[in-house]
């Protein structure tokens, strides 16, 4: 939720042209983003059973990198060119954050509430799976 709120003020702070406001915008984003990355591995890993946990986590992280990291600059540049200000980019960020918040809520509902599964400890169990 904090990322969603900060995204709404990030570009307006940068657009002031004031160095102190720009530093505040960057520092605020840096402080807010770090905790979100700290917990995402545990949340995503808890979504998958042990047998496919590594593959499932990798699939989510790689797809997120392509869709979020690869397309975001292209979409942001197109919005900046078409709107003529950073307002379009700000609303794009807010929308992506809202979509991400919905994804987190869904992941918490999917993640098992039972005690964590144990990984197979012997090679025989692994080969049978």
């Amino acid at each position: 939720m904090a990322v969603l709120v900060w995204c709404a003020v990030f570009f307006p702070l940068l657009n002031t042209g004031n160095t102190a406001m720009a530093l505040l915008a960057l520092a605020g984003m840096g402080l807010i983003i770090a905790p979100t990355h700290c917990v995402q591995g545990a949340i995503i890993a808890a979504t998958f059973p042990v047998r496919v946990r590594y593959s499932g986590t990798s699939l989510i992280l790689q797809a997120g990198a392509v869709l979020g990291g690869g397309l975001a600059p292209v979409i942001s540049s197109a919005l900046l060119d078409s709107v003529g200000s950073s307002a379009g980019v700000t609303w794009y960020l807010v929308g992506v954050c809202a979509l991400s918040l919905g994804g987190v809520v869904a992941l918490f509902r999917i993640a098992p509430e039972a005690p964590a599964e144990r990984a197979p400890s012997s090679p025989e169990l692994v080969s049978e799976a």
Side-chain angles (χ1 to χ4, degrees):
M1 184 61 96
V3 175
L4 181 88
V5 172
W6 197 255
C7 281
V9 299
F10 181 74
F11 280 110
L13 284 173
L14 287 178
N15 288 341
T16 63
N18 184 331
T19 304
M21 290 294 122
L23 289 174
L24 175 66
L26 293 171
M29 190 61 81
L31 290 173
I32 292 170
I33 292 293
T36 64
H37 286 289
C38 290
V39 298
Q40 84 177 6
I43 294 169
I44 294 170
T47 306
F48 297 98
V50 171
R51 290 185 296 142
V52 295
R53 185 165 290 160
Y54 187 78
S55 298
T57 301
S58 178
L59 178 66
I60 286 180
L61 292 175
Q62 298 309 316
V66 168
L67 295 174
L71 295 178
V74 174
I75 293 169
S76 297
S77 295
L79 285 170
L80 190 61
D81 286 343
S82 67
V83 175
S85 73
S86 64
V89 180
T90 299
W91 285 109
Y92 167 67
L93 283 175
V94 168
V96 168
C97 287
L99 183 66
S100 296
L101 183 61
V104 167
V105 169
L107 279 176
F108 274 122
R109 291 190 177 166
I110 291 171
E113 294 179 19
E117 298 177 54
R118 293 184 55 194
S121 57
S122 67
E124 299 86 35
L125 293 175
V126 174
S127 64
E128 292 176 5

